[in-house]
Amino acid sequence: MATPPPRYGAGPYGPYPPQPGPYAAQPGGYPAQPGTYPAQPGGYPAQPGSYAPPAYAVPPQQAGAGCRVCGCRPAAPATVRGHQGLLVVMRFLSLPGPFCRDCGTATYRRMSSDTLWQGWWGPLSLFITPFTLLLNLGPRAAFRRLAEPAGGFRPPLDPGKPLWRRPPALLLLVPALLIALGIPALVVTGLLLREAAPPVLAVGQCVRNAGDWKDQDLVVTDCGSARAEFRVGKRLTGGEHCAAGDYLSDPKYGGGDGWTLNCLTPLR
């Protein structure tokens, strides 16, 4: 049977004496190695030249909890849209959330403001731009219902001026106002300047022609006036003919049928 080796310190030379210096045994563990650092509580010993990285916030698009711009909470998962009309081509823009109240409002105002002056320059864009602006009202309402943002890794965006106070909105309001006021103005002007219906001439009346015979403008005049030029001799309703030297009036003076003519006899 093999004899086990002697225990540490046994033998003819006795136990080794403790060695002074940096290689001396540490209480309760192995000898310390040169160039190492003491163990950290609750973990492994720190390595030479290493450091603990600072704790950065997790981007919200990865964590799925905060605003994609600033990381603040609460945030709404809304999508803001925009449109650009480029004559023969067009671009559909979108920026999905989530957004906090301030960042969402700033994004809504910026993209809607750009759409107001960039979205009309194309045949189809004239119809797509109003629809895009209406779609953005949904995200706008969602952002307004949120509480004040807090807890982000950067300050929220400045919402800026309201949309109706920005120059693109004012540029849109001017033609819209002109259209709104111009249509009633044109209707009123047309009613005021509407040409009066021509008179229906009767036999025995006297008239004067304020125009020429190609474009007659007959005005009923007193037969005793020096301005009277013609007397209505008879109405041609069938195969009758005017007397020699008479003139024919335009059919518009014969009544509503547009066919009746009158014979005009010169007074001098």
Side-chain angles (χ1 to χ4, degrees):
M1 184 175 184
T3 302
R7 299 181 60 185
Y8 178 77
Y13 302 101
Y16 295 102
Q19 303 294 325
Y23 301 99
Q26 304 298 319
Y30 295 99
Q33 302 298 323
T36 61
Y37 296 88
Q40 304 299 319
Y44 296 98
Q47 301 299 320
S50 64
Y51 67 96
Y56 290 102
V58 179
Q61 57 267 36
Q62 299 178 9
C67 175
R68 63 171 293 168
V69 179
C70 65
C72 292
R73 299 178 179 83
T79 300
V80 185
R81 304 182 185 278
H83 182 73
Q84 293 179 346
L86 305 173
L87 297 181
V88 295
V89 297
M90 51 189 170
R91 294 179 62 193
F92 295 87
L93 309 175
S94 64
L95 192 59
F99 295 103
C100 67
R101 184 189 65 185
D102 291 354
C103 293
T105 303
T107 303
Y108 156 76
R109 291 177 178 177
R110 176 177 57 82
M111 295 189 68
S112 297
S113 176
D114 291 344
T115 301
L116 281 175
W117 71 272
Q118 295 177 355
W120 306 97
W121 313 110
L124 295 179
S125 297
L126 291 174
F127 304 96
I128 297 174
T129 295
F131 184 71
T132 302
L133 296 173
L134 290 176
L135 283 180
N136 283 341
L137 295 180
R140 172 180 175 269
F143 301 145
R144 296 184 65 179
R145 289 193 295 264
L146 297 176
E148 184 177 357
F153 54 82
R154 54 163 290 178
L157 298 177
D158 181 10
K161 295 181 180 180
L163 184 60
W164 62 272
R165 292 177 54 189
R166 302 192 176 199
L170 297 179
L171 292 176
L172 178 66
L173 289 177
V174 170
L177 185 62
L178 292 177
I179 293 174
L181 297 178
I183 293 178
L186 290 176
V187 173
V188 173
T189 303
L191 293 176
L192 294 177
L193 299 180
R194 184 178 59 181
E195 184 179 359
V200 178
L201 301 181
V203 176
Q205 286 182 324
C206 294
V207 297
R208 63 181 178 87
N209 186 15
D212 53 28
W213 287 108
K214 184 178 180 181
D215 186 15
Q216 296 179 13
D217 185 10
L218 301 181
V219 180
V220 178
T221 309
D222 184 12
C223 291
S225 172
R227 302 180 63 185
E229 298 177 345
F230 305 95
R231 183 190 300 273
V232 181
K234 65 178 178 179
R235 297 171 64 89
L236 302 179
T237 57
E240 302 94 340
H241 297 279
C242 294
D246 286 356
Y247 294 86
L248 289 175
S249 67
D250 195 276
K252 64 183 178 181
Y253 297 101
D257 58 2
W259 295 101
T260 302
L261 302 176
N262 293 287
C263 295
L264 304 179
T265 303
L267 295 178
R268 38 179 199 276

